């Protein structure tokens, strides 16, 4: 693949993405105040998807998140154990399991969201509303492109040594 961008721009971009990834992992973008760093990324993403899309099975949840079912099963287990997610039977197929955000999970998710909104406000303090909108649009576009590449590129298998 060729590009018209100067290598310097691409080098700066990959460096800033790497720094962002490190900062995000260091802070877990957990928010500020009492709930700072109080929910890991996997739990937040699972709870958020269940909140936005409603009850669903493990396979649908995994497909929507771009991960395998065994990973979702492993990540959901502690959320069920702590009462943030409920397992129920599928209304049409009693053998199938449906995952649903519990009222406790909804409350906890909103608490974390509020803390993370406060962190985003602090990080973008002094930005105009338009700058925040543009950044969000570009970051969404970047994440979508990464996801598309991940799902359309054949996975490289390292040569045997």
């Amino acid at each position: 693949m060729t590009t018209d961008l100067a290598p310097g721009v691409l080098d700066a971009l990959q460096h800033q993405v790497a720094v962002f990834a490190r900062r995000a992992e260091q802070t877990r973008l957990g928010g500020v105040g009492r709930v700072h760093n109080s929910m890991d990324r996997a739990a937040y993403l699972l709870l958020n998807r269940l909140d936005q899309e409603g009850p669903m099975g493990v396979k649908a949840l995994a497909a929507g998140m771009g991960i395998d079912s065994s990973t979702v099963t492993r990540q959901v287990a502690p959320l069920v154990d702590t009462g943030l997610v409920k397992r129920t039977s599928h209304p049409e197929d009693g053998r199938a399991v449906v995952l649903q955000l519990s009222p406790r999970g909804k409350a906890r998710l909103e608490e974390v969201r509020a803390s993370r909104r406060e962190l985003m406000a602090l990080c973008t303090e002094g930005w105009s509303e338009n700058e925040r909108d543009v950044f969000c649009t570009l970051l969404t576009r970047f994440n979508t492109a990464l996801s598309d590449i991940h799902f359309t590129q054949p996975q490289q298998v390292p040569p045997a040594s």
Side-chain angles (χ1 to χ4, degrees):
M1 176 202 293
T2 61
T3 180
D4 293 335
L5 293 176
V9 171
L10 296 176
D11 288 346
L13 180 59
Q14 68 81 21
H15 176 76
Q16 289 305 318
V17 168
V19 170
F20 172 76
R22 181 187 318 130
R23 298 279 186 268
E25 192 56 36
Q26 286 171 338
T27 66
R28 296 200 166 195
L29 293 181
V32 295
R34 189 171 62 80
V35 291
H36 175 71
N37 277 348
S38 62
M39 183 179 288
D40 70 34
R41 181 182 60 238
Y44 177 78
L45 292 172
L46 286 166
L47 294 177
N48 197 54
R49 182 159 293 269
L50 289 172
D51 184 48
Q52 291 179 346
E53 298 190 22
M56 66 180 73
V58 170
K59 286 183 181 178
L61 189 55
M65 297 183 69
I67 56 180
D68 63 74
S69 296
S70 64
T71 300
V72 168
T73 299
R74 189 173 55 253
Q75 291 174 347
V76 164
L79 300 176
V80 171
D81 291 345
T82 58
L84 300 178
V85 170
K86 296 189 299 186
R87 281 192 180 112
T88 59
S89 295
H90 191 282
E92 296 162 11
D93 179 1
R95 297 169 297 167
V97 173
V98 174
L99 301 170
Q100 180 176 357
L101 191 62
S102 71
R104 182 170 182 237
K106 177 83 172 168
R108 183 74 181 98
L109 180 60
E110 188 47 46
E111 180 182 41
V112 171
R113 280 179 179 155
S115 177
R116 289 179 177 198
R117 276 192 297 271
E118 189 176 342
L119 176 62
M120 293 300 105
L122 284 171
C123 289
T124 61
E125 193 172 5
W127 294 23
S128 70
E129 194 62 34
N130 184 60
E131 288 171 323
R132 285 184 180 121
D133 287 343
V134 167
F135 181 72
C136 187
T137 298
L138 292 173
L139 189 56
T140 300
R141 187 174 166 190
F142 185 80
N143 281 329
T144 300
L146 275 177
S147 181
D148 290 349
I149 289 168
H150 175 76
F151 289 115
T152 60
Q153 298 287 323
Q155 297 300 312
Q156 300 291 327
V157 178
S161 47

